[in-house]
């Protein structure tokens, strides 16, 4: 099973730019085109939040129009820039989404499963793994604790050393890690939000964050650093789950580059 992870496209109404600087809609079109040309095709694409920038119906209409061109099946979860009710209405035909409350869900793929954990808080940038989320996740994991599993969420529950990102992390990390550690089948925790590739051990498994399909948040680890972003080469992750021994994660930049050349 091949799973592509895209994140944080921050789509805007037609003709509008993300942060009045970047055509994030065109960036997603390029990402989708690259995914559609990839061989072999991904079996699944997961989009780990911040589908749109302001949570407006106009932005979600753009999202549905662009994502319609994606060949592979799609799983989505909201981020802090999404508006939960508008998100639910926009993806009403995605039967895995619950009809009310946080957008937690479980989707099974043969012996494997993907668990989506919605830790967003309306009108806030940080996430929170609260009592209700803990009860839901523990029940989902303990139903089959050894089953090969990916958990997808938006805000990572880790400190990155980037001061303006750590203010917006998912709180409740200690009990989230303890919950995950009880389920040895968890292969990855997949997050978005930070617009960069990061990896860290968490809850007895590996947590990784995906880059954005648009801008990259600056890697500034000075405690006094001011928030900043760059227009770097965007990218996505490809999680190769074809080997029974585990899951292998690749980073792929989005774009057209010189090559291929006949050497390796």
């Amino acid at each position: 099973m091949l799973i592509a992870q895209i994140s944080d496209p921050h789509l805007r109404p037609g003709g509008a730019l993300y942060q009045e600087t970047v055509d994030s809609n065109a960036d997603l079109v390029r990402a989708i085109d690259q995914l559609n040309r990839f061989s072999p095709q991904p079996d699944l694409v997961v989009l780990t939040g911040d589908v749109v920038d302001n949570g407006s119906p106009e932005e979600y209409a753009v999202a549905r129009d662009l994502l319609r061109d994606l060949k592979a099946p799609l799983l989505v979860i909201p981020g802090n820039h999404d508006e939960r009710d508008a998100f639910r209405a926009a993806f009403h035909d995605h039967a895995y989404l619950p009809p009310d409350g946080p957008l937690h869900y479980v989707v099974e793929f043969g012996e494997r499963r993907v668990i989506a954990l919605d830790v967003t808080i309306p009108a806030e940038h940080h996430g929170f793994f609260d009592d209700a989320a803990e009860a839901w996740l523990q029940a989902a994991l303990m139903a089959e604790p050894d089953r090969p599993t990916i958990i997808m969420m938006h805000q990572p529950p880790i400190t990155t050393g980037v001061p303006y990102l750590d203010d917006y992390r998912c709180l409740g990390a200690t009990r989230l890690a303890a919950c995950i550690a009880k389920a040895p089948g968890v292969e990855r925790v997949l997050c978005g939000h930070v617009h960069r590739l990061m990896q860290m051990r968490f809850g007895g498994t590996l947590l990784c964050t995906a880059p954005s399909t648009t801008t990259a948040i600056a890697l500034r680890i000075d405690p006094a650093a001011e928030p900043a972003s760059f227009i770097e080469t965007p990218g996505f992750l490809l999680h190769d789950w074809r080997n029974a021994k585990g899951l292998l994660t690749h980073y792929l930049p989005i774009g057209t580059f010189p090559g291929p050349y006949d050497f390796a």
Side-chain angles (χ1 to χ4, degrees), residues 89-104:
F91 294 98
H92 63 90
D93 54 334
H94 286 230
Y96 55 82
L97 292 176
D100 51 47
L103 295 172
H104 309 313

Side-chain angles (χ1 to χ4, degrees), residues 50-251:
D50 283 357
V51 178
V52 303
D53 197 42
N54 290 318
S56 71
E58 293 81 8
E59 290 175 330
Y60 285 116
V62 170
R64 290 308 309 263
D65 183 56
L66 298 184
L67 290 168
R68 188 175 295 116
D69 291 334
L70 192 61
K71 292 180 180 178
L74 175 68
L75 298 181
V76 292
I77 196 166
N80 53 293
H81 282 262
D82 291 300
E83 200 284 322
R84 190 176 282 151
D85 290 336
F87 184 101
R88 198 191 318 267
F91 294 98
H92 63 90
D93 54 334
H94 286 230
Y96 55 82
L97 292 176
D100 51 47
L103 295 172
H104 309 313
Y105 58 85
V106 180
V107 179
E108 299 178 351
F109 298 91
E111 65 177 10
R112 299 179 171 94
R113 66 182 171 181
V114 174
I115 294 179
L117 182 65
D118 178 9
V119 295
T120 57
I121 303 172
E124 298 288 350
H125 287 301
H126 69 277
F128 183 43
F129 185 64
D130 61 14
D131 293 344
E134 181 178 17
W136 183 90
L137 181 61
Q138 181 160 302
L141 288 172
M142 291 301 100
E144 294 182 272
D146 295 311
R147 186 171 186 167
T149 299
I150 282 176
I151 297 174
M152 57 184 281
M153 55 193 293
H154 183 63
Q155 293 95 337
I158 59 172
T159 52
T160 66
V162 181
Y164 44 85
L165 289 179
D166 290 342
D167 286 343
Y168 300 149
R169 69 190 185 277
C170 176
L171 305 179
T174 300
R175 62 180 178 178
L176 175 55
C179 189
I180 292 171
K182 296 175 184 175
V186 177
E187 291 277 355
R188 287 288 188 284
V189 179
L190 305 181
C191 304
H193 191 54
V194 295
H195 292 218
R196 302 200 65 86
L197 169 62
M198 301 180 187
Q199 297 183 84
M200 188 174 184
R201 294 286 298 174
F202 182 82
T205 188
L206 184 64
L207 179 150
C208 61
T209 68
S212 169
T213 56
T214 186
T215 57
I217 293 178
L219 182 58
R220 293 181 170 180
I221 58 175
D222 187 314
E226 294 294 327
S229 291
F230 288 96
I231 304 176
E232 299 178 4
T233 302
F236 63 90
L237 302 183
L238 185 71
H239 307 287
D240 188 344
W241 215 356
R242 295 176 295 176
N243 192 323
K245 294 182 179 179
L247 185 152
L248 177 68
T249 296
H250 300 273
Y251 163 78

